[in-house]
Amino acid sequence: MQCIRRQPKLSKAEEYQLLEESRKVAALNGKRLVSIEDIQDVRAGHKTEGMEKYAKDVPESLCFSIIFKDRRKNLDLIAGSEMVANHWVAGLGKIIAKSNSMSQRQKLQQMHFYGTFLKSKPNSWIHSCLRKADKNKDNKMSFKELKNFLKEVNVQVDDSYARQIFQPWHRRQRKKKEEFYLYSLRSQQCDKSRTDTLEDDEIEEFYKILTTREEIDQIFSEHSGPDGIMSLDNLARFLREEQHEESAGPELALSLIQRYEPNETGTTSAEIVLSPPTHFSLAVKNESAMTKDGFLMYLLSADGNVFNQSHSKVYQDMTQPLSHYYVSSSHNTYLMEDQLAGPSSTEAYIRALTKGCRCVELDCWDGPNSEPVIYHGYTLTSKILFSDAIKAIKNYAFKTSPYPVIISLENHCSLEQQKMMAHYMQTILEDLLLVAPVDSDMWELPSPEQLKGKILVKGKKLSPETEDVSDEDEAAEIEDESVKSEVEKKRMVGLSDKLKLAKELSDTVVYCKSVHFQGFDTAPPQACNEMTSFGEGKAWKLAQESGTNFIRHNVRHLSRIYPAGWRTDSSNYNPVDMWNVGCQIVALNFQYKGTEMDIHQGRFQENGFCGYVLKPEFLRDEQSRFNPKTITEGPWLTRKKLQVKVISGQQLPKVNKSINSIVDPKVIIEVHGVQRDNNKKQTAVINNNGFNPKWKETFEFDIHVPKMALVRFIVEDYDVSTKNDFIGQFTAPFTSLKQGYRHIHLLTKNGDQYPSATLFVHINILDS
């Protein structure tokens, strides 16, 4: 195996450049060992820009790339033989698939004694902290290593308090701030061997103490019998009365017992190692009952998730016109960073498409050697070949979703290079490219179901009268002096706002013909296949002044919204304001991480993450009277009261990597929807405990239009002198929330799920 930089055909300058890039990757990753949790994908062949650029002469069968999460640089590798490459790709692929399919509880409890901890696959956050704390790699934990471990998992204790883990309990007096941790350390010592180290069974005992969940023990005891088990009837009652499960009953209860209760091998059917098998656990399962261990695993599983698992698959009607759906959409998809000088990359298209994006943007300009290029016009952003972008779109268009992808073209090319664009789309995309209507009905747009597996082109289309079309130049709106200067030069040399359009390119546009907005009451009515792009400012003004008319317009027509020109840092506007008036293609800068992208991911979390979400019925009615600005009586008004009890947090990651830094977490709950429903509330700060903080605080929210509302849970590390640090978040549609005791599995800034970080909450939804 060799890194791509060692390919002998490279020049010395290229070798030096690749060496420097490799060092940067190493510095970014910060370590020589990489957890499987950090790997997004493994790609065989020339599937990255590095491979395309530097390894074109190397057979594809020898090449593969490891793609990391959190925007780390890819690792491109060349194997010594095709067999070795296949082993790596297949092996890593299986491990990643296995890791992704594992439940939360599996990842936390896959080992039950120390030897397993330090020798097994490093998929557990606790495991990685233990391994890091074991400085001399002797599979034992000294007192000093224990203290370092506690700091790694965000537990702050002083020396005398930590020492009690090793020594008998002599005193009951505790510091108030430390009660959270050693409440479960009973009057015993873990160091039974009295060697001043913990090993084997002592580590197992320590681990059990560390992961004890007092709040879940209490819930279990309230719903179980005096024998310490939860009978089938009691579990069914818990599912019905506390969890509000629609199908609650003996059948559901029995399926959960079979799925999560430890079986005769000492594992659940989900292969979670909790403890050695006992006659008690076997008897419990045979009697169709649940122990505390099985109950905890249920609550940590997908069945105990706050997000309705029936919404994690396509469950909505996909046979309605395209204009009846919100569409996951990206702005200037090719950019990796800012709008003025950052890099452009085909990798950006791959990332967007694998995140469920269904509308990507290509800004096309004349390039050298008759090859059209993509970049942000008038700026210093780097350029990529149009053909490379089309190849990336073809390869990844339907990896995540089978529903149609829209290529939004901003065309600035000469006739010659427009013909090349059409040629590349036709020859690369082949049958995937839609070039003719799917039926003769042009009164309304076809459905996502009818367009499954197809790639549509949005762009200008020739009319019979002229070869010229208007030039839609979004780049000219950028509020930057150098850009304004370039635009002015273009005007001074007499370049027209009109553009000659090649028939070959025009013919690729079928259902997404780009036109200027002429108003809501045009005569004759606008054709259903004509759509308009609005800057966020224009769209916001229309939403404020003519919200109901905008909604009616969006019943039959697609509207695309894009960020204002002053957002040169690639920041985003609030997409909810645009969704509230039925706009479908609300394009955001996917590379900019923050509240807006969290909300976007939350909106498209439902319906199988397929990139299409059916709009509420009152946004699909051409006679709708709904106006999000002034809520009146109507079918949209179904008042609900949302009650959220934030109970506890688990294994919140450190944002400051200093060994002595401990998280001071607080939880913020936000509701995003119509203006009347927008709200935010927050818990108190828990000092020095990111491992198992407890709040037990309850909040209420009044929600008037639940079908438009999203609920966002954010965890921050409080800082008295500077801005709080983001730890994690989770956003979901209000209508996708499950009631009862639920875990919220937190996501990183980049939208990837943490392996272990959760919030434990109780959700109650009442008619108001």
Side-chain angles (χ1 to χ4, degrees):
M1 183 75 62
Q2 60 180 334
C3 263
I4 186 172
R5 66 175 184 273
R6 295 174 62 186
Q7 169 59 20
K9 292 186 179 181
L10 299 178
S11 68
K12 287 188 176 181
E14 288 174 325
E15 285 183 351
Y16 177 77
Q17 181 182 353
L18 278 170
L19 182 60
E20 288 302 305
E21 289 298 314
S22 179
R23 286 172 178 161
K24 287 178 185 177
V25 171
L28 285 171
N29 291 344
K31 53 190 175 183
R32 295 174 64 186
L33 294 176
V34 177
S35 170
I36 291 296
E37 295 283 353
D38 295 330
I39 299 177
Q40 181 79 44
D41 191 17
V42 180
R43 300 179 194 160
H46 298 158
K47 295 293 174 56
T48 65
E49 284 188 318
M51 285 294 189
E52 284 283 350
K53 189 173 182 179
Y54 298 113
K56 280 190 174 180
D57 295 333
V58 179
E60 280 204 68
S61 59
L62 302 181
C63 300
F64 67 97
S65 302
I66 298 175
I67 313 302
F68 296 102
K69 296 177 182 177
D70 292 337
R71 300 172 71 183
R72 302 187 204 181
K73 291 199 172 184
N74 305 330
L75 180 59
D76 296 321
L77 297 166
I78 298 172
S81 69
E82 184 175 342
M83 183 180 70
V84 171
N86 289 339
H87 279 320
W88 272 88
V89 172
L92 280 175
K94 287 179 180 177
I95 294 171
I96 293 167
K98 174 68 175 175
S99 176
N100 291 340
S101 66
M102 289 173 72
S103 72
Q104 178 79 0
R105 186 63 172 165
Q106 282 174 289
K107 292 178 181 180
L108 298 180
Q109 298 275 32
Q110 56 185 312
M111 304 76 82
H112 77 287
F113 55 87
Y114 188 57
T116 309
F117 259 115
L118 293 184
K119 295 175 184 176
S120 66
K121 299 172 187 175
N123 286 335
S124 163
W125 176 66
I126 292 180
H127 167 275
S128 64
C129 293
L130 274 168
R131 187 177 61 186
K132 189 173 181 180
D134 184 23
K135 297 294 184 184
N136 59 2
K137 309 303 178 190
D138 63 353
N139 289 1
K140 300 177 183 179
M141 186 180 290
S142 68
F143 175 68
K144 183 178 179 181
E145 289 172 337
L146 173 72
K147 281 203 65 187
N148 287 336
F149 169 71
L150 293 175
K151 288 178 180 177
E152 283 293 330
V153 297
N154 268 320
V155 176
Q156 178 68 55
V157 296
D158 62 21
D159 284 2
S160 61
Y161 210 55
R163 176 63 71 177
Q164 294 181 31
I165 295 176
F166 285 82
Q167 298 173 343
W169 192 282
H170 294 304
R171 297 185 302 177
R172 288 288 179 186
Q173 190 173 8
R174 310 172 185 175
K175 292 186 177 181
K176 186 175 181 180
K177 71 176 183 179
E178 295 162 346
E179 288 183 355
F180 70 86
Y181 176 64
L182 288 175
Y183 71 88
S184 63
L185 290 180
R186 295 167 289 279
S187 299
Q188 61 184 29
Q189 62 185 45
C190 292
D191 181 23
K192 294 171 183 172
S193 61
R194 299 184 182 276
T195 60
D196 211 27
T197 62
L198 302 183
E199 50 189 299
D200 299 329
D201 292 343
E202 296 166 347
I203 287 291
E204 180 183 353
E205 179 64 26
F206 170 67
Y207 180 65
K208 286 180 180 177
I209 292 170
L210 194 66
T211 55
T212 295
R213 296 282 300 276
E214 182 186 44
E215 68 276 25
I216 289 180
D217 291 352
Q218 182 178 344
I219 296 166
F220 182 80
S221 66
E222 290 171 358
H223 295 86
S224 59
D227 54 358
I229 64 171
M230 189 180 288
S231 68
L232 184 70
D233 288 343
N234 282 348
L235 178 57
R237 188 178 302 112
F238 172 79
L239 295 172
R240 182 175 61 255
E241 296 177 1
E242 283 288 355
Q243 304 298 77
H244 298 274
E245 294 287 357
E246 293 180 4
S247 57
E251 187 176 341
L252 175 61
L254 184 60
S255 71
L256 294 178
I257 290 169
Q258 294 300 320
R259 207 172 303 155
Y260 302 114
E261 186 57 34
N263 61 30
E264 60 274 5
T265 64
T267 69
T268 66
S269 58
E271 299 179 350
I272 302 164
V273 180
L274 278 175
S275 56
T278 64
H279 293 298
F280 175 71
S281 65
L282 298 181
V284 167
K285 188 160 190 174
N286 291 335
E287 292 176 8
S288 298
M290 183 173 272
T291 62
K292 187 165 60 179
D293 284 340
F295 184 67
L296 174 57
M297 284 187 285
Y298 150 65
L299 288 176
L300 278 164
S301 73
D303 291 300
N305 199 310
V306 74
F307 183 77
N308 189 335
Q309 291 306 296
S310 67
H311 292 187
S312 64
K313 57 190 176 189
V314 175
Y315 73 98
Q316 296 177 337
D317 178 9
M318 301 302 287
T319 64
Q320 299 201 28
L322 207 59
S323 54
H324 287 192
Y325 298 83
Y326 298 126
V327 184
S328 177
S329 306
S330 165
H331 171 252
N332 287 356
T333 313
Y334 49 90
L335 291 177
M336 300 286 283
E337 296 174 7
D338 65 85
Q339 303 284 311
L340 295 177
S344 303
S345 173
T346 56
E347 188 65 35
Y349 288 98
I350 296 171
R351 290 181 183 180
L353 291 167
T354 53
K355 288 284 188 182
C357 181
R358 298 290 86 190
C359 181
V360 295
E361 185 175 7
L362 289 75
D363 289 350
C364 308
W365 299 78
D366 280 354
N369 305 317
S370 299
E371 288 284 351
V373 296
I374 295 171
Y375 84 114
H376 204 196
Y378 315 113
T379 71
L380 299 176
T381 56
S382 65
K383 301 173 183 178
I384 58 174
L385 292 176
F386 177 84
S387 57
D388 286 345
I390 296 299
K391 288 174 187 174
I393 292 169
K394 177 187 179 180
N395 290 334
Y396 289 88
F398 304 110
K399 294 278 189 184
T400 301
S401 167
Y403 292 103
V405 168
I406 301 171
I407 293 177
S408 179
L409 290 182
E410 187 174 309
N411 169 31
H412 303 276
C413 291
S414 62
L415 281 173
E416 179 189 356
Q417 297 209 15
Q418 288 179 40
K419 293 175 182 177
M420 286 301 299
M421 290 165 57
H423 170 74
Y424 282 131
M425 286 193 288
Q426 290 163 352
T427 56
I428 294 171
L429 299 179
E430 299 177 308
D431 291 343
L432 298 178
L433 182 66
L434 185 80
V435 293
V438 294
D439 59 38
S440 57
D441 180 14
M442 291 299 285
W443 168 248
E444 63 181 15
L445 292 167
S447 69
E449 189 66 30
Q450 288 175 288
L451 297 169
K452 238 180 182 179
K454 289 296 183 181
I455 296 175
L456 286 64
V457 176
K458 170 203 163 287
K460 292 293 185 177
K461 193 168 180 66
L462 290 172
S463 62
E465 307 85 49
T466 178
E467 294 181 353
D468 293 338
V469 294
S470 58
D471 183 10
E472 291 186 345
D473 194 353
E474 292 175 16
E477 300 175 23
I478 297 175
E479 294 185 13
D480 177 78
E481 290 305 317
S482 61
V483 171
K484 289 179 180 178
S485 174
E486 291 296 321
V487 174
E488 188 59 31
K489 287 178 185 176
K490 173 184 173 182
R491 288 174 182 156
M492 288 179 67
V493 297
L495 291 178
S496 170
D497 288 336
K498 293 288 185 178
L499 179 76
K500 288 199 176 294
L501 182 62
K503 182 180 184 301
E504 293 85 346
L505 189 60
S506 173
D507 288 346
T508 64
V509 177
V510 180
Y511 287 116
C512 299
K513 177 184 176 183
S514 182
V515 299
H516 282 292
F517 181 64
Q518 302 296 331
F520 294 124
D521 301 314
T522 59
Q526 188 175 321
C528 70
N529 69 328
E530 294 181 342
M531 61 174 291
T532 302
S533 291
F534 301 92
E536 66 171 278
K538 176 69 177 293
W540 188 86
K541 185 177 181 183
L542 288 172
Q544 293 296 306
E545 297 177 356
S546 309
T548 302
N549 285 334
F550 211 171
I551 288 168
R552 293 173 178 174
H553 172 83
N554 287 327
V555 173
R556 290 188 64 242
H557 304 95
L558 293 172
S559 290
R560 173 179 169 269
I561 317 299
Y562 59 90
W566 58 266
R567 296 186 184 275
T568 56
D569 60 349
S570 294
S571 60
N572 285 308
Y573 56 94
N574 183 1
V576 177
D577 294 334
M578 303 298 105
W579 292 329
N580 285 346
V581 290
C583 296
Q584 305 88 350
I585 302 178
V586 181
L588 298 184
N589 293 306
F590 271 42
Q591 72 273 32
Y592 191 91
K593 307 307 175 186
T595 301
E596 296 79 15
M597 275 306 298
D598 293 343
I599 291 171
H600 177 279
Q601 184 171 357
R603 165 58 68 202
F604 292 99
Q605 180 91 352
E606 66 169 329
N607 207 30
F609 201 56
C610 75
Y612 286 86
V613 170
L614 187 64
K615 297 191 290 186
E617 64 279 1
F618 50 84
L619 295 182
R620 294 181 269 127
D621 178 6
E622 287 191 89
Q623 305 302 317
S624 179
R625 295 181 294 107
F626 177 68
N627 188 329
K629 188 178 177 183
T630 54
I631 303 299
T632 58
E633 290 293 330
W636 47 83
L637 190 63
T638 52
R639 296 179 180 90
K640 300 288 182 182
K641 188 177 291 292
L642 171 65
Q643 297 175 334
V644 180
K645 183 177 183 180
V646 182
I647 302 171
S648 61
Q650 292 76 42
Q651 301 180 31
L652 305 177
K654 295 173 67 168
V655 286
N656 185 331
K657 297 305 180 183
S658 168
I659 187 67
N660 294 315
S661 172
I662 305 295
V663 165
D664 302 319
K666 62 184 285 190
V667 178
I668 303 166
I669 306 169
E670 298 173 346
V671 175
H672 298 266
V674 298
Q675 188 172 343
R676 187 187 293 186
D677 289 343
N678 293 338
N679 206 342
K680 179 168 77 170
K681 298 183 180 182
Q682 59 189 26
T683 68
V685 176
I686 303 296
N687 292 323
N688 293 327
N689 184 5
F691 185 73
N692 57 359
K694 293 178 179 63
W695 289 278
K696 297 182 180 178
E697 295 185 49
T698 301
F699 305 95
E700 283 193 355
F701 299 87
D702 291 316
I703 297 178
H704 300 81
V705 189
K707 290 186 178 180
M708 302 297 292
L710 296 108
V711 183
R712 182 171 181 247
F713 300 87
I714 313 104
V715 183
E716 292 182 347
D717 181 11
Y718 175 75
D719 195 305
V720 69
S721 59
T722 62
K723 183 180 178 182
N724 295 344
D725 290 318
F726 174 91
I727 294 177
Q729 71 85 34
F730 181 79
T731 306
F734 173 81
T735 52
S736 293
L737 295 181
K738 295 284 281 183
Q739 296 191 69
Y741 291 102
R742 302 288 172 179
H743 278 95
I744 297 171
H745 298 267
L746 296 175
L747 307 179
T748 67
K749 274 186 179 179
N750 290 292
D752 299 314
Q753 185 174 304
Y754 281 115
S756 311
T758 57
L759 291 176
F760 186 51
V761 300
H762 185 274
I763 303 288
N764 201 21
I765 298 173
L766 306 171
D767 291 330
S768 181

